[in-house]
Amino acid sequence: MDALTSLFAGFETALTPLNLLWALIGVTLGTLVGVLPGIGPALTVALLLPVTAKLPPVSAFIMFAGIYYGGMFGGSTTSILLNTPGESASIITALEGNKMARKGRAAAALATAAIGSFVAGTIGTMLLTFAAPAIAEIAVQIPPSAKFALILLAFVTISATFGGSPLRGLLSLFFGLAIGLVGTDLQSGQARFTLGFPELLDGVDFVTVVIGLFAIGETLFVATRLRKNSGSVIKLQGNASMSREDWRRSWKPWLRGTALGFPFGAIPAGGAEIPTFLSYTLEKKLSKHPEEFGHGAIEGVAGPEAANNASAAGVLVPLLTLGLPTSATAAILLAAFQQYGLQPGPLLFITNGDLVWGLIASLYIGNFMLLLLNLPLAPVWAKLLNIPRPFLYAGILVFSTVGIYSLNNSIFDLFLLAIFGLVGYGMRRFDFPVTPAIIGVILGPTAENFFRTAMQQSNGDYTVFATQPSSAFILVIVVLALLLPPILRARARARA
Amino acid sequence: MTQPASPSLPTKPAISWPDLLVAVALTALGIWLFFGTQRIADSGMNTIVSPRVFPLIVSSGLTVLGLLLLVATLRGAKAEPAAEEDTDPDAPVNLAAAGIILGGFLIGALLLSPLGFVFGTALMYFSVAFAFGERRYLLLVAISLIVALITYLVFTRGLGLNLPPGILKGIL
């Protein structure tokens, strides 16, 4: 039971008054920014990075934990009150929750989302508590060749297997990988693709890429195609609350959604979309009144929201134990670790145990705070949705500027930001997914590193990837993940 | 398996020029990176894998994928613009708005040091809100300055970041 011992030590770290304050600031800021339309969880974390710049690592990560869960909470509020999902994982919530809200049941929809998120987040964090140290122990023995294969698997699943268009996903990934190449090669000291700019010797800062592609790209894209009457926000009377009947109908979907969401987050399978869809389908099948689905069935909010949040906890398993991000948000968290000179992975549990366990403990605390915050404060968040769009997007741009400029106090970074903003516009206009590019930028250098380490251990023998059993096994899955979906699609077409 | 020709000849799909441009640009980027790889020095200490290997893999991959997209586009593939929270898929595309935002951003960035953070970001704020259709100028100027000033104070006083005061040096 040393997981419990470590967890109690983590609570000792997280429960100091100052760290509790950081957790509270984190969940509040996370919810606040997450509620704003057009800002998903990934961008929420990226925009709030500069806020933590001057904090000691433990406090910074306790705050990040709050921001991470807070951004998820905020996103579901927006989906319910505005009929527009901020990200693909909230599509279902937007469909079913907004229908509920239009029927005057906004309070119940918000409550089932908030309480479901709390239940799922808490169970997910418990699973993380016990799974992470066990996996970390195994992960220490994973050879570099298998780690490289694992990263390849993440690349393929995130860009090709679960996307709409594998070709566009892969192109986005390779664009990210290309950006990741820029800078000084750490092993040989050679400059690569710096185009003669000394500012590029350290590479392109990932925050610049993330904020450029997400925030600036979004602002430019929305400006060119502005909806004249921004969606009607549902008026909310009083707090988010549920009747006894709502509770009776919600608790099973919460648990089922959690069971679906957590494993999907923990494997590199492209984030939270799939479990939310699966949860919705499952609830509809099990429901005694399937005809309500599509017209505001509470189960259709409770299940998917739980799945979404459980998957957010699941994502932290590979992130903390292997250093492998399986979603855009996780990739940004990984990069935040790297900014502090920490490399998430099995060794982190040994070298920085207090930090990791403080982070895990603060996930429990943050989840509880979010529940307390969100039920009474729902009407306040609802008001935020009425911010006039010109002022909202202008604020996002100014905030992005602060974040990027304060990295190195250089104007050069702001020009890079503008370039990535243009690229982000292009990606939205031409239907390229943004997440693979982010994963490519952040994991590309890590992949190269493992590749070379493996080659050094085998003395330059390329067959090491095929002869080392675990790497070979993962590579077979990689090939399947790349080839199966198109084959299945072709067969389905042939039958049709 | 030869299909009998359908009575109505299939019309050649129209090629979307913007999509073609994107495909060509991505392919060109791949090729340019591929040749750029040759310029990476191949010396260095203790490298079994040269610093060129990974760039070669990435640039070749990008080129091949770009060519695949090119072929798909020539066959008539066309990208649908994304649907976002605040966008209207049927709205006329207003590229001038994006131009105003970028212009304001770049001028603001250049003015950040000489005039200071507050005026630089106030200009950015103004240009975005203007591009989004806000026309109450007095209100907008006031809000731009207030937002920029509060942001500056929160980040410098509250969080200890170092932002350029510019001409307001000594006052702030």
Side-chain angles (χ1 to χ4, degrees), chain B residues 53-150:
Chain B
V53 173
F54 224 68
L56 274 176
I57 298 172
V58 172
S59 55
S60 319
L62 190 58
T63 310
V64 170
L65 290 165
L67 286 171
L68 285 173
L69 186 68
L70 197 60
V71 171
T73 312
L74 288 173
R75 284 175 161 184
K78 191 167 182 289
E80 280 304 310
E84 306 277 338
E85 279 183 350
D86 290 325
T87 57
D88 178 356
D90 309 322
V93 177
N94 172 8
L95 286 177
I100 293 169
I101 292 173
L102 270 179
F105 178 80
L106 293 175
I107 296 170
L110 287 172
L111 293 177
L112 219 50
S113 284
L115 284 187
F117 178 87
V118 175
F119 292 113
T121 47
L123 176 72
M124 292 180 189
Y125 193 96
F126 184 94
S127 57
V128 177
F130 180 84
F132 272 77
E134 182 57 56
R135 293 291 179 271
R136 288 168 293 180
Y137 294 111
L138 258 174
L139 175 81
L140 186 50
V141 169
I143 289 191
S144 302
L145 286 169
I146 290 167
V147 168
L149 187 64
I150 290 177

Side-chain angles (χ1 to χ4, degrees), chain A residues 35 70 74 94 112 117 129 198 245 293-294 307 348 359 397 413 444 460 476-477 489:
Chain A
V35 161
T112 198
S117 296
T129 305
E245 168 73 0
F293 278 72
L348 200 65
L359 171 77
L397 186 97
D413 288 343
V476 169
I477 301 178
R489 261 194 290 264

Side-chain angles (χ1 to χ4, degrees), chain A residues 37-38 192 218 224 389 393 452, chain B residues 43 51 82 84-86 88 94:
Chain A
R192 299 193 294 194
E218 173 91 2
T224 56
R389 295 299 175 261
Y393 283 94
R452 283 165 142 183
Chain B
S43 63
E84 306 277 338
E85 279 183 350
D86 290 325
D88 178 356
N94 172 8

Side-chain angles (χ1 to χ4, degrees), chain A residues 60-273:
Chain A
F61 282 104
I62 282 174
M63 194 163 158
F64 270 127
I67 291 171
Y68 180 56
Y69 276 4
M72 306 274 302
F73 263 85
S76 58
T77 304
T78 311
S79 317
I80 290 167
L81 297 178
L82 266 177
N83 181 22
T84 43
E87 37 139 15
S88 45
S90 308
I91 290 174
I92 303 284
T93 317
L95 278 177
E96 210 63 34
N98 191 258
K99 286 280 190 319
M100 275 181 81
R102 279 177 199 283
K103 282 162 79 176
R105 306 208 349 93
L110 287 170
T112 198
I115 299 167
S117 296
F118 170 74
V119 170
T122 304
I123 296 175
T125 310
M126 280 180 192
L127 292 171
L128 167 75
T129 305
F130 292 103
I135 295 175
E137 252 169 57
I138 302 166
V140 174
Q141 288 145 34
I142 297 179
S145 58
K147 282 187 176 155
F148 174 72
L150 261 179
I151 293 184
L152 277 192
L153 181 64
F155 280 165
V156 168
T157 50
I158 288 165
S159 63
T161 310
F162 297 104
S165 156
L167 177 59
R168 288 170 188 281
L170 283 168
L171 270 163
S172 171
L173 170 75
F174 271 80
F175 174 77
L177 289 173
I179 299 300
L181 290 175
V182 175
T184 309
D185 169 36
L186 291 178
Q187 286 200 10
S188 66
Q190 301 297 345
R192 299 193 294 194
F193 301 116
T194 53
L195 311 178
F197 290 108
E199 290 92 342
L200 287 176
L201 281 172
D202 285 341
V204 178
D205 219 302
F206 82 97
V207 189
T208 315
V209 183
V210 171
I211 294 187
L213 292 183
F214 276 116
I216 313 294
E218 173 91 2
T219 303
L220 293 172
F221 185 74
V222 174
T224 56
R225 293 168 173 71
L226 189 61
R227 189 196 296 267
K228 280 292 169 276
N229 48 341
S230 56
S232 53
V233 180
I234 310 279
K235 285 264 186 301
L236 189 66
Q237 312 292 351
N239 296 348
S241 60
M242 291 165 54
S243 66
R244 188 180 295 256
E245 168 73 0
D246 293 333
W247 278 94
R248 203 182 51 73
R249 287 177 55 177
S250 287
W251 71 272
K252 280 184 195 155
W254 288 339
L255 296 180
R256 285 192 289 254
T258 306
L260 280 172
F262 186 82
F264 263 95
I267 54 173
E273 274 167 77

Side-chain angles (χ1 to χ4, degrees), chain A residues 259-282:
Chain A
L260 280 172
F262 186 82
F264 263 95
I267 54 173
E273 274 167 77
I274 301 161
T276 55
F277 280 95
L278 283 176
S279 163
Y280 185 79
T281 321
L282 180 73

